[in-house]
Amino acid sequence: TTVAVELWDLRNGRRMAGAGSYNRQAAFGDDVISRIIYATERPGGRKVLQDAVVETVNELTRQVLAEAGVSQDAIWAVTLAGNTTMMHLLLGVDPTYIRLEPYTPAANEWPRVAARDLGLAVNPRAVVYVLPGVASYVGGDITAGVVATGLHRREAVALFVDVGTNG
């Protein structure tokens, strides 16, 4: 339900700006299952949901660029992390089988994409990296959380909790 954008200077590892907002997709369903139904059962629904999340990301991107005083042409790389359904919808990929047993995503690992192909408000030639998921309901958001916390390097038992939209 929430989308967050952060701008980082990769030359020095410094966070330059950040912003967050509600995902405009919420108007079409409060949870990912409702959004999958909308995307798959309404004519043009998948494109409507893709446009809604891209508009949300672009609005936030413009905010962080303005705050940092950076031109959109200066952005040459974008990394996306989200739940499996969100990545399908943002990329315009059919999410049908995520909600049907055995709950299989179209992919867990995504190829790099050019920002222009998604309509992102950055340099059109910027490379977009989509963090890999693990399974139907274990997406790149959890992968990112595990890596960011260093959990994948721990030998001891640890707990990572993701309270998502359906939580």
Side-chain angles (χ1 to χ4, degrees):
T1 303
T2 302
V3 176
V5 171
E6 290 192 349
L7 178 64
W8 287 77
D9 185 334
L10 298 181
R11 294 170 297 196
N12 60 25
R14 187 175 62 91
R15 180 182 181 274
M16 299 176 71
S21 179
Y22 285 108
N23 183 349
R24 290 181 179 170
Q25 288 182 342
F28 307 99
D30 289 333
D31 57 79
V32 295
I33 299 301
S34 298
R35 293 176 196 168
I36 291 172
I37 292 168
Y38 187 93
T40 58
E41 295 183 5
R42 294 271 182 114
R46 187 178 353 152
K47 180 70 171 136
V48 168
L49 290 175
Q50 182 183 29
D51 290 347
V53 71
V54 168
E55 288 172 17
T56 305
V57 170
N58 283 343
E59 178 182 313
L60 294 170
T61 299
R62 288 182 190 99
Q63 286 179 28
V64 298
L65 291 173
E67 181 182 330
V70 173
S71 160
Q72 74 178 41
D73 286 334
I75 306 303
W76 283 93
V78 175
T79 302
L80 300 173
N83 68 54
T84 305
T85 300
M86 285 306 308
M87 291 301 90
H88 278 64
L89 295 174
L90 187 128
L91 295 169
V93 175
D94 184 359
T96 298
Y97 298 101
I98 299 172
R99 89 175 243 261
L100 302 175
E101 203 170 339
Y103 315 110
T104 306
N108 281 313
E109 293 187 34
W110 302 96
R112 288 179 291 232
V113 182
R116 79 174 145 271
D117 294 339
L118 296 178
L120 298 181
V122 296
N123 188 308
R125 293 184 292 163
V127 178
V128 178
Y129 300 92
V130 180
L131 293 182
V134 177
S136 54
Y137 294 102
V138 181
D141 53 346
I142 294 175
T143 302
V146 168
V147 172
T149 60
L151 195 63
H152 63 295
R153 292 191 194 108
R154 293 179 58 122
E155 301 233 358
V157 175
L159 176 66
F160 180 84
V161 178
D162 172 51
V163 180
T165 303
N166 296 325

